[in-house]
Amino acid sequence: MTGATALRDPASFGPVDLDESALESWAAEVGRAAIRAGRFVCLSGPLGAGKSTFVRAACRAAGVEGAIPSPTFTLVNRHRTTSGEIIWHADLYRLESPELLVDVGWPELVDSDAAVFVEWAERAEDWLPADRWEVRLDFADRPNERRVEIRASGAGEPPPAPTVDPC
Ligand SMILES: Nc1ncnc2c1ncn2[C@@H]1O[C@H](COP(=O)(O)OP(=O)(O)O)[C@@H](O)[C@H]1O
Ligand SMILES: [Mg+2]
């Protein structure tokens, strides 16, 4: 067919390359939207891609004060914003098997109306909720940038799109 317009999935944005401040601004927007809508946000990508950087920026923008330590050994941390909302931050890097998720209170996260951010979410395999936002972060050509994509899976509002800062 000639002249066909490619149909874009309205709930999928990227890939685009963002420097650290652009990535943090976008993460802040995603964080605020995730709190508003009680979304479950999955983050995937290699070590050093910026998953923790993203979650910290999202938590800060949502009003989490003080230290935001990585849940490296606890696997799940719970934060409270200055206005009293809960934000869950999980990091499943050290999860040995999805069956062990129940030991870290995973069912509560999946059923929660709060915002949930999960690094290495793919390690939860079938234990992820159907309705979620999936953020993919990867290295880019420039060392100070990361290639980012986001898509919605299941029902619910679409996620904020990443935008490149105008030069
Ligand atoms: N464009 C960028 N976006 C996010 N992080 C970046 C970027 N450029 C450099 N970095 C750096 O990359 C590192 C990302 O680390 P981190 O967020 O802990 O990654 P992960 O949690 O994916 O392992 C941080 O040191 C951060 O300062
Ligand atoms: Mg991390």
Side-chain angles (χ1 to χ4, degrees), residues 13-20 22-28 30 41-58 89 117-122 133-141 144-151 160-162:
F13 303 105
V16 296
D17 293 354
L18 302 180
D19 66 19
E20 192 160 349
L23 185 139
E24 288 180 330
S25 306
W26 173 53
V30 175
V41 186
C42 299
L43 297 115
S44 62
L47 273 176
K51 299 179 295 298
S52 298
T53 301
F54 181 107
V55 178
R56 284 201 186 95
H89 177 193
F117 293 90
V118 184
E119 300 184 45
W120 297 97
E122 62 275 25
W133 289 344
E134 292 173 357
V135 174
R136 168 85 203 165
L137 303 170
D138 214 334
F139 295 101
D141 297 336
N144 64 328
E145 292 183 342
R146 297 292 185 268
R147 191 152 296 167
V148 310
E149 289 178 73
I150 190 165
R151 65 184 286 268

Side-chain angles (χ1 to χ4, degrees), residues 91-110:
D91 184 341
L92 304 185
Y93 183 65
R94 286 190 157 74
L95 182 71
E96 282 165 18
S97 132
E99 284 70 41
L100 299 174
L101 281 169
V102 70
D103 298 341
V104 293
W106 188 255
E108 190 184 346
L109 270 66
V110 170

